[in-house]
Structures are given as structure tokens and as C-alpha cells.
Amino acid sequence: MEKSDRRQFLGLIATMALAAPLGVASAVPLELQEQNAPTKGSPNTQNHSGASQIARKDWSRFSTAYFTYPCFMEKITKEQIHRKVQDAVESNSEVLMFFIMQEGYALYPSKTTERDPFALDFDVLAEVAAAAKAKNLRLVACWMGVHGVSRLAELHPSWTWRDAKGKPAPRFHRMCLNSPFQNLLLEQIKEVVTGYAVDGVYFDGIYELVEGCYCDYCREKFREEFGRDLPKNPHDPLMTRFRMQAVEDTCHSIRNLINESAPSTLFIMDTLGVRAYESFGQDLTQLRRYLDVFLLEAYWEYTGQPIWYVGMERRQVAAETRKPVWFPCWFPLHPNGNFAPIPKATIRLWAGEALVNQGAPVCVEQDLFDIDRSRFPTLQTVFKGIKKISPYMRGSKPLPYAGLLHSVATKELLISNRALSNTDNFKGAYMALLEHHIPFEVITEGTLSFHDLKRFKVLVVVDALCMTQSNIEAIRQYVSHGGGLVATYRSSYYDEDGHLREHFGLADILGVDASGFLLREGPIGPEQLGGREAVTYYRIAAGNPLADGLEGDFSSLSGGVVKVTPQPGVDVAAHILDYDYRKQDNPDRKWVWWPGKPSYPLITTKKEAGRAAYISGELTLAFWRHGLPEAGRLFVNTVRWAGGTPPFEVQAPGSVQVEVCTSPALGKDGLLCMFSNRTANPLYLTNRSGAEGAYQYVREVVPVHDVKVRIKTPASDIKETLTITGRPVRVHRASGNLHLSLPVLDEYEAVIIG
Ligand SMILES: [Zn+2]
């Protein structure tokens, strides 16, 4: 989107009277935001508090969950239902998620919806609810949402999604939320939450897709609201906002209904993470007002994404929503096609990831165990351990060190410009911090205030293009009170509306003056062969504290660099090198570009009350795209320089992640340590690596030996140490530190130190 379009877009949003402008942190204090949006004119809202509220928050934060549905296209029997409930119990699950609608048919006697012809003789939902209660399981009643409702599509063809030419979806029936489908959904929910003892409702798909919908209801609603026809271009910003509004209205209505009818019921929805904003019309920063829990739908093992990447998305969603984000794993290979089970190692790897990312693990069973039970014992073992520590995971908080900013305003600007890949700098930073065992939390502008920043030793702002003036002032206050800052590349170049600032916002805090960009990218070689200046070389200054093992090293990065001049008193820790142009005059012209003399700074450091460092180039993008070790290490050195010693240090390969948390259940001296080992095959073969359509499941995780963690913590007696796998752990205190070592780490571990 052009800058002017962006302005128009934001202007339109403002006139739509949303509670908060898009991408800008709401002015409502955090404590108030934590309450769910009040029901307009609902007298019952006042009851929506007290003991039930605390209890539901408790189990929603972290539990083991078993997600299943009854068989398809055959008689559903009471025996099947009881077997499934029994499986949930025996798998060590605390929550049972159960589909109560099958392809648009109800699995209970409904006044609004036709009954499933395969379950006419008994009330499936009543049977499930009674069995779950008897077994002490929390029950979540599940809906598919706008898809997987073929019977409704058959009965109400006018409710289905239409493209701009009026054609329905080709094979996947999808209902439009602006049609009477929304009302039917609400009626169904009311029947279920008032008629049955359910602890939560889940929706696998409340969305309006990127294509936009041109059904009669959408056309009419749009004309009513905007006095003109739906834009022909489905990517028109107004259409995007219109889609988001339909999703938001639906969630708001569901919230109101729950508040009025059954306030202790949790409202849970799936989301596909940061992409959901554009592709599915889910504006998570708005939807957080209505939802209690999000479930991050990700098929990492199928799409060839590394699993830590899914963990990153989980943290981004958690930061955007400030709600619990559950962490599912599909036990059949792929939910829509292949029913064969995933490898056991993949299951165990997922368990470790749920632990280190503090996402409640959800086993999406999908009726697999009726066909093949070979993975059931693996699930039992994994959940047995995790269930042990569920009470400690609830409300646990990581030992604070670095806050890594995930800028929602930047994400929205990039999405509206179709340039989401520009977040590669963030991904590289995330990966580098992970590999070097730097403790960090992902935060958004929503918590970018001096008050919220105070707990961190260092704030890391990686190419966060858009930043409000109040965010900048909060950072200024934070640094002037001793907080560390690392900012990179184009951070704060734009304001929150996507307007380019005359001087970039953080410039004076960082102590630099900017004078333009240096962009070197493209194939190596002479211009005649399609090449241009290919790379940016840099050298790390010897004797600089940031060098720390990289003294005098030389490396390169692709992408852009901001040309900056340091202000007086500001040091340069690494320099961009100019080219040695004399050597380019080679007759063959196939030589690389030779490095020359130092030119602009790559890293500047300013030391006042707090330490502030600026990385002017796309160092973390270079790490993400090419993995050059110097790039990751130099970035991490910069973070450590600005933040000082982290609260804990890990001695293990970069493929091991360790998180250390305090927990209300452990008192003030207790700690919870979680471990994930991703030392797995295959490291590089994914369906993006040139092997078209090929991807590899993780089938083996190589154990890591002698993992050591040194934690700075006040000395006191260690009363109890417990590992969830039963493997040995050694813990002792010495010179103000707690030393923890695992002789062997398989896929995952959690240690409770009380
Ligand atoms: Zn529609």
C-alpha cells in the first residue's frame, strides 16, 4: 500500500469508531484490558468475577489437553464415547476437547440444528459431559466454525462465501459470518453453554478469508455502512477492514452471550499466528478483548518449518493477545489427508517445545487411536511428566533479562505493503538469542512503557519501522534510568501511521546522525552479467568490548545499511568496509568484490546512565538467511554489552533451549527450569530448500550430555528437586549461584527446584 493509501486506511479506521486505532497500543490501562470486554446492557456482567474466574484462569494457563471427535459416517455408540473419555484420562490429559457438531449436524438434541443421523438414539454431548465430570476432566465443546459444516451449506446456500463473480467456494463449503450463519452459531452456543456442564467452547475457524466475500449479506451490509458497493479488489484496505470487522463482531457477540449465559465458560479460538491478520481477517490485538485462550494452529512437522519457529510464533501471538496460547500437535500426519501417525520423536520434540514456550500442549488425536494405538504410550509418557508440573507452570514468569520488541504496527504496515518477508531481521535476532542462550521475552508496543520496561536489563528493537512518539519517550526514560538498548537498522524511521520521520526517532538516544541508505544486494558479478554491488563487508574493531571473541574478525552481510555518523563520545564497535575498487578492474570481471578501507559504522555504542547500541545494517537478516556465525554472535555480544550479565548462563549446544522461571506455586526461592533439545535430523531438508514437495519428519533426537545451567539467585536451602522424566539432575549452590546439571538430556526435561 502506498503511503497515502495507508493514511486513508488509518483515517477510515478512525471513523469506524474502533476502541483503539489499528496497530497502536490502546490507552486503556493494562489491568482493565485484562478484563474481557463488558457486555453492553448486560446486568449479569457484574457476576463475571470471583472464584469461578480464578479457577478458569488457572486451568486455562497451562494444562494437558486431549482433542478428539467421534467417528465419521458410522453409528456413534456410548461405548465409543466412554472409550474416548477413558483414553483422555489414561493419556494423563486434564482437559477434553470434543467436537459436538459434525459437518453441520448437532450431536445433541438441538432446537436450531438438525441432529446427526448417526447419533439419533442418545445425546452424545450429555454422555460426554457426564463422563468427563465423573473423571474430573475439564470439558471444552468444539465447533469447526465457518467450514466443515456441509449440511448447513446444503440447507442454506445463500449463507456461503461467494467470490466477486458470485460463485461459491469450489469444494470447501465456507459460511459467511455476515450471513444468518452467525445467529445460528450463537443459538447453538447458547443451547450448549446453558444446557450442559461445559467448561469452555472452542472454534476451529472464525475467519473471513483474504479473497473477501461477495455474498448478498456482505454486499448489503457494506452498502449500509459505507454507502457504496463492495470494492472489486478483494485486497482493498476497506475490504480487509470489513473482513476483520465480521470476525470481531462474531467474537464480540459470542463473548456477550457467554457473559450473559455462562460466565465461567472459556472462549477459545484457533489462529494461524501473525499471518492470520491478513489471510484470515483476525486482528489479534482487537480479538484479545473477547477471547480467553488462543490455540496456535501450526503444521510445522508438515510444512518443514523448524519447530523453534513455531515457538516464536506462539510467543508473538502471546505478546499480541496477552492471553494463554495453547500449543497443539496433530497426531495423524496431516489432519486433512493422511491418517498415518507422526513419528514418536516428533511427539517428544513437541513436548519440549510446549514446555520451553509455556504453551499448554494439546494432543489433536482426530480419531487416530481408533485405527492405530502405537503412539498412545508415547503420549502417556509425555503427558505424565508434563501434568506433574502443570500447577507450577500456571502463572510462572521467566527470569527477566531482554525484552525483544515484536512491533505490531510494523507488522501491519508490512502486511499492507505485502512485504511481510521484511520481518526476517526479527527472525534472525530471535534465532541468534536462542542459539546463544540469552534469556528474552517477546513484547509488543502494548507493554512498551517505562513501567513495563523497568524489569528488563535490555530492550532489543530489531528493525521496528513504526514507533509512536510515546514509545520513544518511554525508551528514553528507560535508558536514562540505566536500561540497556539495542536498536537496529530502520527502527523508529516511521511513526505509527507509517509516515517517514525527518530524523529517525531513536537517533539522539543512540547518539547517531543518519544521512541515507546503502543498499547492496543482488548477484555477484559485473553489471553486464546482471550483477551489482553484492555484499556489505564489515570488520569488528579490535579491543572493543563488543568483540568478545571476534576481535578484528571480517565478515559480510547482504541487505541494507543506514549511513550514520556517530555523535561526540559515541564509539564504533564495527565498521562497514568500502570496496577496493582498483581490484574490480579485472579483465575477466568474475572476481569477487574486494574489501577496502573502513567507511560507515556498523555498530555504535553510547554509554551514559544506560548503554545504548545501534546496529545500522541488516546483521540479523544476514544471520537468518545465511547463518554466518559472526553475524549472530556480534548481535548477541551487542545485547550482552547493553544488558550486562544475564540472570542465568547455559553451557550446552545452540540446539538446546533452557528457560528458567519463578512460579507462584514454588514460593519466592523456588525455580522451574525447562529444557528442549532440538538436536535432530534433518537439519536442512525442507520443502523450501529446493527439494520440491520434500520434507522430513523428526525421527531421531540425539541426546545431549552434561547440560549445565548457572543461575544467579539468593542462597537458600534446596528442599526438593524433581525432574519430570525421572532422569537424574544435580543441583548445588556455590558462591551465590545455583548450579544445575543434567548428565543426559533427551528431547525434553523440566526440573522443579523448591
Ligand atoms: Zn459474505
Side-chain angles (χ1 to χ4, degrees), residues 158-162 175-179 208 212-219 230 242:
S158 68
W159 297 4
T160 58
W161 169 88
R162 304 275 152 167
M175 310 303 269
C176 176
L177 292 170
N178 285 327
S179 78
E208 286 281 330
C213 178
Y214 293 83
C215 75
D216 290 345
Y217 301 98
C218 283
R219 287 177 193 278
L230 268 169
F242 186 65

Coordinates of all heavy atoms in Angstrom, one line a residue, residues 158-162 175-179 208 212-219 230 242, ligand 1:
S158 N -27.4 -19.7 0.4 CA -27.1 -18.2 0.3 C -26.2 -17.8 1.5 O -25.8 -16.6 1.5 CB -28.5 -17.5 0.4 OG -29.0 -17.6 1.7
W159 N -26.0 -18.6 2.4 CA -25.1 -18.2 3.6 C -23.6 -18.5 3.3 O -22.8 -18.1 4.0 CB -25.4 -19.0 4.8 CG -26.8 -18.8 5.4 CD1 -27.8 -18.1 4.8 CD2 -27.3 -19.4 6.6 NE1 -28.9 -18.1 5.6 CE2 -28.6 -19.0 6.7 CE3 -26.8 -20.3 7.5 CZ2 -29.5 -19.4 7.8 CZ3 -27.6 -20.7 8.6 CH2 -28.9 -20.2 8.7
T160 N -23.4 -19.1 2.1 CA -22.0 -19.5 1.9 C -21.2 -18.3 1.2 O -21.8 -17.5 0.6 CB -21.9 -20.7 1.0 OG1 -22.5 -20.4 -0.3 CG2 -22.5 -22.0 1.6
W161 N -19.9 -18.4 1.3 CA -19.0 -17.5 0.8 C -19.1 -17.4 -0.8 O -19.3 -18.4 -1.4 CB -17.6 -17.9 1.1 CG -16.5 -17.2 0.5 CD1 -15.9 -16.0 0.9 CD2 -15.8 -17.5 -0.8 NE1 -14.9 -15.6 0.0 CE2 -14.9 -16.5 -1.0 CE3 -16.0 -18.6 -1.7 CZ2 -14.0 -16.6 -2.2 CZ3 -15.1 -18.6 -2.8 CH2 -14.2 -17.6 -3.0
R162 N -19.1 -16.2 -1.3 CA -19.1 -16.0 -2.8 C -17.9 -15.2 -3.2 O -17.5 -14.2 -2.5 CB -20.4 -15.2 -3.2 CG -21.6 -15.9 -2.7 CD -22.1 -16.9 -3.7 NE -22.9 -17.9 -3.0 CZ -23.7 -18.8 -3.6 NH1 -23.7 -18.8 -4.9 NH2 -24.3 -19.7 -2.9
M175 N -19.0 -20.8 5.3 CA -20.1 -19.9 5.6 C -19.6 -18.5 5.8 O -18.5 -18.3 6.3 CB -20.9 -20.4 6.8 CG -21.2 -21.8 6.8 SD -22.2 -22.3 5.3 CE -23.9 -22.0 5.9
C176 N -20.4 -17.5 5.5 CA -20.0 -16.1 5.7 C -20.6 -15.7 7.1 O -21.7 -15.9 7.4 CB -20.6 -15.3 4.6 SG -20.2 -13.5 4.9
L177 N -19.7 -15.0 7.8 CA -20.1 -14.6 9.2 C -21.1 -13.4 9.1 O -21.7 -13.2 10.1 CB -18.8 -14.1 9.9 CG -17.8 -15.3 10.3 CD1 -16.6 -14.7 10.9 CD2 -18.5 -16.2 11.3
N178 N -21.2 -12.7 8.0 CA -22.2 -11.7 7.8 C -23.6 -12.2 7.5 O -24.5 -11.4 7.4 CB -21.7 -10.6 6.8 CG -20.6 -9.8 7.3 OD1 -20.5 -9.5 8.5 ND2 -19.7 -9.4 6.5
S179 N -23.7 -13.5 7.2 CA -25.0 -14.1 6.9 C -25.6 -14.5 8.2 O -25.0 -14.5 9.3 CB -24.7 -15.3 6.0 OG -24.3 -16.4 6.8
E208 N -12.7 -14.7 8.0 CA -13.1 -14.3 6.7 C -11.8 -14.2 5.8 O -10.9 -13.4 6.1 CB -13.8 -12.9 6.7 CG -15.2 -12.9 7.3 CD -16.3 -13.4 6.4 OE1 -16.1 -13.2 5.2 OE2 -17.3 -14.0 6.9
G212 N -11.9 -12.1 0.4 CA -13.1 -11.3 0.6 C -14.4 -12.1 0.3 O -14.3 -13.1 -0.4
C213 N -15.5 -11.7 0.7 CA -16.8 -12.4 0.4 C -17.7 -11.4 -0.2 O -17.8 -10.2 0.2 CB -17.4 -12.9 1.7 SG -19.0 -13.7 1.4
Y214 N -18.4 -11.9 -1.3 CA -19.3 -11.0 -2.0 C -20.7 -11.6 -2.0 O -21.5 -11.5 -3.0 CB -18.8 -10.9 -3.5 CG -17.5 -10.1 -3.6 CD1 -16.3 -10.7 -3.4 CD2 -17.5 -8.7 -3.9 CE1 -15.1 -10.0 -3.5 CE2 -16.3 -8.0 -4.0 CZ -15.1 -8.7 -3.8 OH -13.9 -8.0 -3.9
C215 N -21.1 -12.2 -0.9 CA -22.4 -12.8 -0.8 C -23.4 -11.6 -0.7 O -23.0 -10.5 -0.4 CB -22.5 -13.7 0.4 SG -22.6 -12.9 2.0
D216 N -24.7 -11.9 -0.8 CA -25.7 -10.8 -0.7 C -25.7 -10.1 0.6 O -25.9 -8.9 0.7 CB -27.1 -11.4 -0.9 CG -27.3 -11.9 -2.4 OD1 -26.4 -11.5 -3.2 OD2 -28.2 -12.7 -2.7
Y217 N -25.4 -10.8 1.7 CA -25.4 -10.2 3.0 C -24.2 -9.2 3.1 O -24.4 -8.2 3.7 CB -25.3 -11.3 4.1 CG -26.4 -12.3 4.0 CD1 -26.3 -13.5 3.4 CD2 -27.7 -11.9 4.6 CE1 -27.4 -14.4 3.3 CE2 -28.8 -12.8 4.5 CZ -28.6 -14.0 3.8 OH -29.7 -14.9 3.7
C218 N -23.1 -9.7 2.6 CA -21.9 -8.8 2.6 C -22.2 -7.5 1.8 O -21.9 -6.4 2.2 CB -20.6 -9.5 2.1 SG -19.9 -10.6 3.4
R219 N -22.7 -7.7 0.6 CA -23.0 -6.6 -0.3 C -23.9 -5.6 0.4 O -23.6 -4.4 0.4 CB -23.6 -7.1 -1.6 CG -22.7 -7.8 -2.5 CD -23.4 -8.3 -3.7 NE -22.6 -9.2 -4.5 CZ -21.7 -8.9 -5.4 NH1 -21.4 -7.6 -5.6 NH2 -21.0 -9.8 -6.1
L230 N -19.3 -2.9 -2.5 CA -18.0 -3.6 -2.1 C -16.9 -3.3 -3.1 O -17.2 -3.4 -4.3 CB -18.3 -5.1 -2.0 CG -18.7 -5.7 -0.7 CD1 -19.1 -7.1 -0.9 CD2 -17.6 -5.6 0.3
F242 N -13.3 -4.6 6.6 CA -14.6 -5.2 6.6 C -14.6 -6.6 7.0 O -15.4 -7.1 7.8 CB -15.2 -5.0 5.2 CG -16.7 -5.4 5.1 CD1 -17.7 -4.7 5.7 CD2 -17.1 -6.5 4.3 CE1 -19.0 -5.1 5.6 CE2 -18.4 -6.9 4.1 CZ -19.4 -6.1 4.8
Ligands
ZN1 ZN -20.5 -12.7 2.8

